[in-house]
Amino acid sequence: MTHYNIIGGGIAGASIGYHLISLGAKVTIYDREDSGQATNASAGIICPWISQRRNKKWYRLVTTGAKYYPDFIKTLEDETGLDTGYTRRGSISLFKNEEKLALGYNRISKKKDDSPEMGEVKIIPKEDINHFHPDLNNQYPGIFVEGGGQVKGRLLLHALKTAFLSKGGKWLTQEIPDDLDGYKIYTTGAWGRYQNSGPDIRHQRSEVLHFKVDSDVPVHTPVIMALGPIYIVEMDLNQFAIGTTHIDTDSFEAVPSKENYEYLRGLAERYFPDKKITDVEMLVGLKPYARDHLPFIGHVDDSVYVVNGLGATGLTAGPVIGREVARSLMGLDTELNLEDYNYV
């Protein structure tokens, strides 16, 4: 039996390991727990239908990922008894004016024919925004997509690791040995730029501010895609995350910057006017990108497989990539044509 060694324990590596071992494979995951891992800092928005990207291969990947989420989460939570923080309360995309709102509605709503899991799509006048998000600035109208959701990266990763270990997998917090034998799957994220083979990887630094809002209305809220683009997601009752900054960098420094803190804090005050805001934490994630911002998935030689370049859609695509890669390696049919993502 092939022994699969996965190098990198973020969402991609953990998902591949979980799906492989669920199919009866022997798997070891190596993870150094580097600061700046994208999974831990991600807001976990699952709403690919609102994207304006035109890359059909990318869109097929992320929409398949969103469709897979409900069944995947149910299975994982049933197996572990753990909460992944996955919710589907919809999403609202805000628009600067009525003209852009109409264009946005036309663009988003016509995708429903191919993606019924989107659910209802409707325009929300700015005076009705507070019916969905009582404390939010109601300066802008929006488009509500019922199927939009989110997942908490830290909780999902913990559940995947727990399930993986319960099925007999090994998870080692260390570098891989120099003499490591067996099949290797590299899911090293931003650190993939140091590999000797595979796609060229670059990364961006993103920062996210978590904060509390002093409010007498403890309600659950949809994901907000604000102007900028900026997102606002609920992390707990009256607690939100706002992001994100995207800065190209060669550094692996994961300490928040004062400049970006002040920028995000200013946005929080703009979108929550007349509310007392208290900082909770500031997180930094290093998001890896490959050519054309399209994830790379495939062999780079007979015994080395690479998954990288997931960028800002790692949590949307990671679970289904795990399923598809595991099935492919075990000789089973896949829903996606993985050759679409193997361009080395």
Side-chain angles (χ1 to χ4, degrees):
M1 177 186 293
T2 301
H3 184 174
Y4 295 97
N5 297 287
I6 299 175
I7 299 92
I11 185 63
S15 180
I16 294 169
Y18 165 76
H19 285 90
L20 274 173
I21 208 162
S22 296
L23 292 174
K26 185 177 181 181
V27 188
T28 300
I29 294 178
Y30 294 86
D31 186 61
R32 302 184 309 195
E33 296 185 346
D34 291 302
S35 297
Q37 184 187 77
T39 301
N40 286 326
S42 175
I45 298 169
I46 316 295
C47 193
W49 316 284
I50 63 176
S51 173
Q52 297 188 57
R53 287 188 62 182
R54 297 180 181 272
N55 188 306
K56 293 181 180 179
K57 295 177 181 179
W58 174 86
Y59 185 72
R60 188 158 52 244
L61 174 63
V62 294
T63 53
T64 303
K67 183 173 66 174
Y68 179 49
Y69 246 93
D71 289 342
F72 163 69
I73 291 294
K74 184 179 187 309
T75 298
L76 184 61
E77 292 186 343
D78 286 349
E79 287 179 348
T80 62
L82 297 173
D83 177 24
T84 62
Y86 177 66
T87 59
R88 295 179 75 192
R89 302 191 187 109
S91 74
I92 297 178
S93 299
L94 302 180
F95 289 84
K96 191 172 184 178
N97 55 49
E98 297 296 329
E99 179 182 1
K100 292 184 181 297
L101 178 73
L103 292 172
Y105 178 77
N106 180 62
R107 172 177 57 81
I108 294 170
S109 61
K110 69 182 181 181
K111 296 179 180 181
K112 189 175 176 180
D113 289 342
D114 295 326
S115 300
E117 61 273 13
M118 289 174 65
E120 184 181 15
V121 180
K122 63 181 180 180
I123 291 176
I124 308 297
K126 61 183 180 181
E127 58 269 20
D128 292 340
I129 290 293
N130 290 142
H131 295 331
F132 294 84
H133 208 305
D135 296 319
L136 192 71
N137 183 336
N138 63 353
Q139 183 178 349
Y140 307 106
I143 296 171
F144 178 75
V145 177
E146 183 183 22
Q150 68 180 104
V151 67
K152 296 179 182 177
R154 292 174 179 175
L155 296 182
L156 176 57
L157 191 57
H158 176 61
L160 280 169
K161 182 176 180 179
T162 299
F164 173 77
L165 292 172
S166 73
K167 294 173 184 286
K170 291 184 180 179
W171 189 296
L172 304 178
T173 309
Q174 63 178 69
E175 293 270 10
I176 60 171
D178 293 335
D179 58 349
L180 181 64
D181 292 325
Y183 195 96
K184 301 179 184 67
I185 303 172
Y186 285 90
T187 57
T188 49
W191 292 266
R193 67 190 306 158
Y194 293 129
Q195 289 168 214
N196 294 324
S197 60
D200 291 331
I201 296 296
R202 65 190 186 282
H203 66 273
Q204 293 181 338
R205 171 189 173 94
S206 66
E207 300 190 38
V208 184
L209 174 64
H210 290 234
F211 60 95
K212 290 182 179 179
V213 173
D214 186 12
S215 175
D216 296 327
V217 188
V219 296
H220 291 298
T221 59
V223 170
I224 299 295
M225 304 303 296
L227 307 184
I230 294 295
Y231 61 72
I232 302 169
V233 296
E234 179 186 325
M235 304 305 293
D236 206 338
L237 283 179
N238 296 332
Q239 182 174 320
F240 302 92
I242 189 167
T244 181
T245 57
H246 291 286
I247 301 171
D248 292 330
T249 182
D250 293 327
S251 171
F252 288 85
E253 175 64 61
V255 176
S257 68
K258 180 180 178 181
E259 178 184 5
N260 285 325
Y261 163 74
E262 291 175 349
Y263 169 67
L264 293 174
R265 174 69 190 221
L267 287 173
E269 292 169 352
R270 170 185 169 187
Y271 282 101
F272 292 85
D274 305 319
K275 296 293 179 181
K276 179 182 178 182
I277 293 174
T278 304
D279 297 340
V280 175
E281 62 179 337
M282 186 93 166
L283 299 177
V284 177
L286 304 176
K287 298 183 183 296
Y289 292 89
R291 191 185 74 185
D292 299 328
H293 285 234
L294 183 69
F296 177 86
I297 306 170
H299 285 97
V300 295
D301 65 38
D302 289 343
S303 61
V304 176
Y305 201 95
V306 173
V307 175
N308 212 328
L310 275 63
T313 53
L315 280 171
T316 298
V320 81
I321 287 175
R323 182 193 72 184
E324 298 291 272
V325 169
R327 291 185 63 83
S328 177
L329 293 176
M330 298 294 282
L332 302 173
D333 290 338
T334 60
E335 182 176 350
L336 293 166
N337 179 5
L338 294 183
E339 288 303 312
D340 284 344
Y341 311 96
N342 186 350
Y343 46 79
V344 169

